[in-house]
Amino acid sequence: MTRRCSKMVLIGLDGVCPEAILRLIEKGKLPTFKRLIDNGVFAENALAPYPTITPPNWTTIVTGAWPGTHGITGFWVHNPGEPLDKTHCAVTTDFCHADYLWDAAGKEGMKCIIMNYPTSYGANPPGSVVIGGSGLAINESGVGLEEESSEKLICTVCNEQLFATDGYARAATVEVVGAEGWKNLPQDAGEAYEVALPLYYPDARVPVAERQTWHLLLPESDGIYERAVLCKERDYDTRLAELEPGKWSDRIVEAFETERGRVEAAFKVQLLELSDDGEVVRLYFTPICRLSGWSVPDDAADELRHVEGLPMPGSRLASYSLGWMGPDAHMDLYDMMHDWYAAAAAKLLRSGEWNMLFMHAHPPDWLAHRILNESDELINQDPESLRVHDGMMTRCYESIDRMIAKITDAAGDDALVVVVSDHGTAPKGNGFPLRKVLEDAGYLAHKDDGSVDWSNTKAVPQRVCYVYLNVKGRDPSGIVEPGEEYERVRDEVIDLLRNYVDPKTALRPMALVLKREDARVLGIYGDIIGDIVYALRPPYGGVHGQRLTTAKRGTASLNPLIIMTGPYLKKGLRLKRNFWLLDLVPTICHIMELPVPEHTEGAVIHQALEDPDIDRKGREELKRDYEELLRNYNSATLGGV
Ligand SMILES: [Zn+2]
């Protein structure tokens, strides 16, 4: 059939709040965002389900279903009946019970590209290409992890590495010595020095079987050391890169022997520091990024082998916070990721038939977790620190702006464009010591080794916003009797949390504390959530997760970003009504004339449409045509008698 719109790109930006975008546009930055907002619909009251967490909300965005319906109720999920401290990292489609938009579209013969979309691991609609999806970036994965900690999203081949003569946390300390036993040294190497670089492959998901030691040669010229040569062996002919301080190498591609076979991977290095006397050296390796193994079909990765940037894992990038490098070099890493997403998406859009692109970039959220407080003018009172960190956030958004421009360019003018975030982020505040509060009140007990003493525990926190009672017959070591005792203990714990007053601030940290049944108003329900659901109010809570979507702090909010532009949409509309993330799927389906996925609960945002009545008018026109046809037929038939 001919559709009124047959192409859509959905560009996901993790943790972006609308205020941040508008503020930068006001300063004359972000031309692509400005163009999209001027030509499309911008939701002033976009709302995200609770908890304001990545996997549930990205799943809501592509199913149109509440987390209670699709089943992903946290970064981690808990299966009823399993021990209360057992959870599973919710990065695969196995945990989702709702139909995805890409499946509904696939059944209609549409071709989908799903790229770095969180929780899409396992997706495979007919004719589609799936790139990554098992973590928050390519080459990282949380598949199969059962221990609740986002630090566990681990990398292929490995995370970033630093080799330095001065001691740095998580770095290899190295020594500069006179170069000896080198082959093929050029005449002009002078009194060269060398540094042995024992690669240490941090955070490797699959261990590297053959650990290599590479070598850095420091040639001397007129008594000065101002460049370096990275070599695989003490042989100048094995050189991988020639380095000058402060400049990135070209992309280096090498093979690594892992415990699951040989893989090819790309990375860049930068000589961050080299003293004139050659005695102080600091050499940085980006994560070593596998060039295959993360696409369905397998050979889709081959097509992306040579695209610009790096398919880099990012969850554990800490080179700025560890003091390894300054803000500029660190922000270059996010540019490399955005460049890769833009180039990979553009290549796939230009090289084949496609109808829908779903992609996501995580850097704004990672940065928010690390530096949002420092970059917020209402929170950070130190002007120099504010300047540096605001500059970093701005650079990240500018990099994203360029990425969106490249992708929308490749998609063409007739495509529906959706730019969306899963939740906003606002400066973090105090934590709430939930474990201690429960312990002090006698509901939670620990053994001497720090583990939970289940035989004396009635209530225990789990995941981001839940408290579970330890219920007999339901939980493996349950002690709370179902029925009367359950209700009594639950009421006591709810009262305890609601009435808790922080002795330091005299504030009550809880925005709400609800029984499981009452949490249905938040869109979470059933036995996949805690017996008690709570949310913190600012200043309490992290940048997102435990705060409601309407929470605000500093200059930012937890509201997600929603911009839509393209055919059949109003132009330059600042939409005032609520726009839930779950309204995207039905609105997209309406514009593209697609069947709505089975479990979708959101609704079409009629107010965003140029002509909300288009379908009814179409039906009436058909009816008129049919009646006229019938009249003509009848008069022709009767006339013939
Ligand atoms: Zn997120």
Side-chain angles (χ1 to χ4, degrees), residues 14-15 52-55 58 362 365 422-423 544:
D14 208 287
T52 41
I53 282 272
T54 300
W58 286 116
H362 210 83
D365 182 71
D422 55 337
H423 50 76
H544 68 90

Side-chain angles (χ1 to χ4, degrees), residues 8-14 32-33 36 58 61 117 341 345 349 357-361 400-401 403-409 411 416-422 561-563:
M8 182 212 57
V9 292
L10 184 147
I11 301 172
L13 309 172
D14 208 287
T32 313
F33 276 105
L36 295 175
W58 286 116
I61 289 167
Y117 196 92
Y341 299 141
L349 294 178
L357 166 75
F358 301 85
M359 63 83 60
H360 141 276
I400 286 171
D401 195 79
M403 175 186 83
I404 297 175
K406 283 183 200 159
I407 295 171
T408 50
D409 239 32
L416 170 64
V417 176
V418 180
V419 179
V420 59
S421 69
D422 55 337
L561 175 76
I562 299 179
I563 304 168

Side-chain angles (χ1 to χ4, degrees), residues 622-639:
L622 263 177
K623 215 158 113 191
R624 272 199 303 277
D625 289 352
Y626 172 74
E627 278 163 3
E628 195 183 325
L629 218 90
L630 202 64
R631 264 197 310 277
N632 290 344
Y633 173 79
N634 284 343
S635 68
T637 322
L638 293 174

